[in-house]
Amino acid sequence: APDPDMPVTGLSKYVDAISNLFVKSASEIDLLGLESVGANLIVARWRLKGTLMLPWRPAVKAYTGTTLYQLDDQGLVISHTELWSISALDAFVSTVFPNWPGAAAEAPATALLLTRPPSARSPDPGPLFRSLKRRRPRSAPSLLPP
């Protein structure tokens, strides 16, 4: 889902949700890395900042994320889970109070992030793999890397 607190199912609902979340002209997302990590699993690392499409147009500070995509046998996405470099609470409070004490720092610029090894560009995907193991029914084959 484009927002962990607002899950959506289906491509058209996903596109509608993400298209109506940010002001396109005042937002950007940069791909920091894309890696196949096993049969039917892809990890994407990214950096996002933008302006929410709300009446007062609050800004969302730059943060990084890691997304784990699980694919079916036709290569279509059947699951999408992600981690952010800031908490959902921080993301929300920072839109209302941009300089609140205790807020996480804004993510470094994309150019700087790209000088780092891929594993240091965004959150570690380990928790996403562990979550996938917990959700997998006993009879389902493992899609996780060895």
Side-chain angles (χ1 to χ4, degrees):
D3 181 331
D5 296 322
M6 299 177 65
V8 295
T9 303
L11 180 60
S12 63
K13 288 183 181 179
Y14 180 84
V15 170
D16 286 345
I18 198 74
S19 297
N20 294 310
L21 189 58
F22 289 98
V23 176
K24 290 178 185 98
S25 62
S27 304
E28 59 187 60
I29 185 164
D30 296 312
L31 185 63
L32 303 173
L34 191 63
E35 179 182 9
S36 175
V37 292
N40 299 338
L41 292 175
I42 296 172
V43 170
R45 295 174 182 275
W46 44 268
R47 179 185 183 272
L48 170 84
K49 74 174 183 176
T51 301
L52 294 175
M53 204 172 292
L54 294 171
W56 65 95
R57 298 293 193 249
V60 176
K61 66 183 170 189
Y63 64 96
T64 61
T66 301
T67 302
L68 176 65
Y69 295 100
Q70 183 179 357
L71 311 177
D72 66 13
D73 291 336
Q74 288 83 39
L76 300 175
V77 175
I78 57 172
S79 173
H80 158 211
T81 54
E82 60 187 43
L83 293 171
W84 297 353
S85 62
I86 60 174
S87 70
L89 176 65
D90 189 323
F92 173 76
V93 173
S94 293
T95 62
V96 179
F97 304 105
N99 300 313
W100 71 284
E106 185 171 65
T110 299
L112 178 60
L113 289 168
L114 290 174
T115 66
R116 298 177 178 174
S119 63
R121 295 176 187 168
S122 65
D124 174 17
L128 298 175
F129 292 122
R130 289 188 289 281
S131 173
L132 190 61
K133 281 183 179 180
R134 285 192 301 272
R135 290 193 320 248
R136 182 172 50 93
R138 289 182 189 262
S139 61
S142 176
L143 301 174
L144 300 178

